[in-house]
Structure formats: C-alpha cells, structure tokens
Amino acid sequence: MTCTRRQWLASAAALPLAAKPYRPLLAVQLYVFQQQFNREKKTIAEGMEEAFAAVARAGYRRVEMTSAFWTPELRGRTRALLERHRLEIPIVYDGGPMHTPEGAAKTIAETLTYAAAAREAGAQAVSFNASPTKARKSDEELAVQAKSLDELGGRLRERGMELLIHQHAPELRENAREWRYQFRHSDPARVKICLDIDWVKRGGQDVMTLLRESAPRLRAAHLRNARDGVWMEELGDGDVDYRAVAGYLREIGFEGWLTVELAYEQGTRITRSLEENLRRSREYAEKIFL
C-alpha cells in the first residue's frame, strides 16, 4: 500500500518523542545570591564577583541570571566575569506586566534591551514571567497577554533568541487557567516553556501532568525542592519526585536546559555555605538527570 505525503507527515508527527536523543544542559540560576546579598545588605555590584567565582568553584559551566545583571551600569562587569571564569550564559531571566497594552509595550521594550545585552555575551533565550495580579485576570486581559507574548517571542526570534515562559503559583490558580490560556492562544513557534517544577507543586498542580502538557514546547526547567513544603538549602530528594521527572525527560528526548535554582525562605534550615550547597546540588542533578 502506498502512502501519500500527507499520511507520511501525519505518521511522522505521531512517532514517539523518545526517538530524539536525550541531551540536557545543566545550568545554575544566580537568584539565590541576590537573596544572600539582601541579607548581607550588599548591592549586586558589591557581591557579583564572589557569586561568579563561587558557581565556577562549585563546578558549573553555565549560568542563568536575572536582568538585574544586565543594566547599563553592570553589563560590562557581568561580561568580564563570565569570561574570567569561563562561564556561558544560555538564558537571561526577566518579567513584567503583559496583560494591558500600555504595560506590555513598556515591558517588551525593556526586555528586548536586556536581551540584546545578554545576546552579545552568548545568551540564547529569555526566561520570562508575565507579572501576576492580585485580582483574577479577565479573559480580555489574558487575550492581551497572549498576543503580547507572541509579539515578544517573534521579536526575540528575529534576534536569534527564544522566549521561554516561566511560571510561579498565581498562574496555576483555577486549574492552571492563566498558564493554559497563554499557551492555547499563542504561537508554538514563538512562545516556548520554562517549567518551574517546584512552583508547579506549590501551585497545587500535578507535576507530571503539566510536564506532559509542556513537552511539545519544553525548552527549560527550573529545579528546586522542598521538604514538607519548606524549601531545602540544596537540591535533593524531597516533595518533588525528580527521578520521575528525569525518567519522563529521557522518554521524550529532552534537549534543553536544566537550571538549578536554589531559593531560601523563612523556615529553610541553612547549615552549609551557599557554595557548598550549590556543589551538592550539581552533584545531585548530575546523578539524577545526566
């Protein structure tokens, strides 16, 4: 029996994603250093040199960082520190209002400015969080947000970068209403996903369900864990079953970034230096995912 081109394309699309090679890239997010700087009453400028040195000593070769490192005042030092410690920057993190036309226009302009600076240092993607609101976003506001994300994604794509949508807990209310809306109403070629695994759990959603829904667009994941609902000082076994997450990523042939993103909160018991916790987190991530 012959097969038409349309039938062949349909059958190819239905092939299991496991046919793809599994090639994740491990990175680390510098946000936890910003928390430490705040505790020590330091500015980013005062603490950034030690932060870059610490992640290099902890064994990382790729770093994700917030747009705060890419302001006009700091971007030169950021690039110099990346070069000195032989660190790559695959992703820059940013966010802002996207649910109103005025807010979206301002956010898009600012994000493109930060992205351009990071792109010069080698960044390939922007992990982006559309700012939540205290009140429930209306369908009209979500429509503006989805359209605005499409625009940002398209403009980043023109510059050789990807847009990866990150989420916290608010987007997961009402059975992940906002999270699902923005992907059902945006262009898959322009808007990809960075799934924050711990926040999925905190947002009351099933990790494996959202992971499977994310699969066609999944380009990155943030890795953190809690024990009994409290963030741990290192990435390790806890409330999220990362072995199940890793098993599924192998099954679909995941090729994106896995970013260790430690964060401390009231109740987090800190018994080691941040550098040591980052080293132990890297070793855990390598054991589970690589």
Side-chain angles (χ1 to χ4, degrees), residues 195-206:
L195 194 68
D196 192 306
I197 304 293
D198 173 78
W199 277 113
V200 171
K201 182 82 172 177
R202 288 196 163 211
Q205 300 300 311
D206 179 70

Side-chain angles (χ1 to χ4, degrees), residues 111-123:
T111 299
L112 290 174
T113 299
Y114 293 130
R119 177 64 174 159
E120 290 181 2

Side-chain angles (χ1 to χ4, degrees), residues 35-48:
Q35 288 189 310
Q36 179 168 283
F37 299 160
N38 286 335
R39 289 196 304 272
E40 297 172 347
K41 301 189 184 314
K42 288 182 181 178
T43 64
I44 291 177
E46 291 169 332
M48 62 192 297

Side-chain angles (χ1 to χ4, degrees), residues 24 83 95 97 119 218 228 253:
E83 292 172 5
R119 177 64 174 159
L218 188 66
D228 298 326

Side-chain angles (χ1 to χ4, degrees), residues 75-136:
R75 63 184 56 156
R77 286 187 62 192
T78 297
R79 289 189 64 175
L81 288 168
L82 287 168
E83 292 172 5
R84 182 188 308 171
H85 296 290
R86 299 181 181 179
L87 294 167
E88 300 174 14
I89 173 173
I91 303 171
V92 60
Y93 179 94
D94 197 29
M98 294 291 268
H99 60 285
T100 66
E102 300 79 10
K106 183 174 184 293
T107 298
I108 289 170
E110 290 176 347
T111 299
L112 290 174
T113 299
Y114 293 130
R119 177 64 174 159
E120 290 181 2
Q124 302 169 52
V126 173
S127 181
F128 184 88
N129 210 118
S131 293
T133 55
K134 291 183 179 180
R136 180 184 193 265

